[in-house]
């Protein structure tokens, strides 16, 4: 059974930083692309960042480029999202996602089969 468990969410003021982690079990993160998505109240879930199977290629939503960094530790089987210069618009539930088809980064929800339970990120102005 694949299990993805996020941690690291919380509340910060604008301009602050948070680091999200996703621990995977029953799944080898080095085989396929993984991603981070977020969903704000009343909004659709959107792709934020994605990383290739090998970890050498990344992709970001325009809204987070230059502020967020996705990385993976294949030895620890962990995915990470470093979020800097956070803005109130970044407030959302953040989800870790894992696929079983794509090896290159993708921000499309349909490419992911497994999802974590989500972690809340709240940024105040």
């Amino acid at each position: 059974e694949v299990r993805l468990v996020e941690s690291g969410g919380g509340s910060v003021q604008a301009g602050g930083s948070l680091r999200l982690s996703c621990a995977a079990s029953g799944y080898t993160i080095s085989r396929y692309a993984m991603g981070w998505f977020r969903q704000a109240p009343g909004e659709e879930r959107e792709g934020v960042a994605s990383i290739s199977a090998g970890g050498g290629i990344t992709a970001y939503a325009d809204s987070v480029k230059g502020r967020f960094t996705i990385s993976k530790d294949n030895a620890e089987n962990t995915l990470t999202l470093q979020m800097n210069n956070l803005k109130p618009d970044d407030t959302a539930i953040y989800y870790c996602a894992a696929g079983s088809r794509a090896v290159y980064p993708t921000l499309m929800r349909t490419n992911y089969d497994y999802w974590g339970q989500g972690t809340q990120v709240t940024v105040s102005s």
Side-chain angles (χ1 to χ4, degrees), residues 80-100:
T80 299
L81 184 68
Q82 177 66 43
M83 305 185 295
N84 298 328
N85 191 21
L86 282 160
K87 303 176 180 180
D89 283 349
D90 295 319
T91 296
I93 298 175
Y94 283 70
Y95 298 90
C96 172
S100 60

Side-chain angles (χ1 to χ4, degrees), residues 93-110:
I93 298 175
Y94 283 70
Y95 298 90
C96 172
S100 60
R101 295 178 296 279
V103 295
Y104 291 106
T106 171
L107 297 180
M108 294 181 61
R109 288 179 57 183
T110 53

Side-chain angles (χ1 to χ4, degrees), residues 5-13 17-22 36 79-83 86 90-96 117-123:
V5 180
E6 301 99 336
S7 60
S11 298
V12 295
Q13 290 191 323
S17 299
L18 284 172
R19 186 178 180 89
L20 305 183
S21 293
C22 172
W36 286 97
L79 181 73
T80 299
L81 184 68
Q82 177 66 43
M83 305 185 295
L86 282 160
D90 295 319
T91 296
I93 298 175
Y94 283 70
Y95 298 90
C96 172
Q117 82 287 352
T119 185
Q120 178 71 48
V121 171
T122 303
V123 185

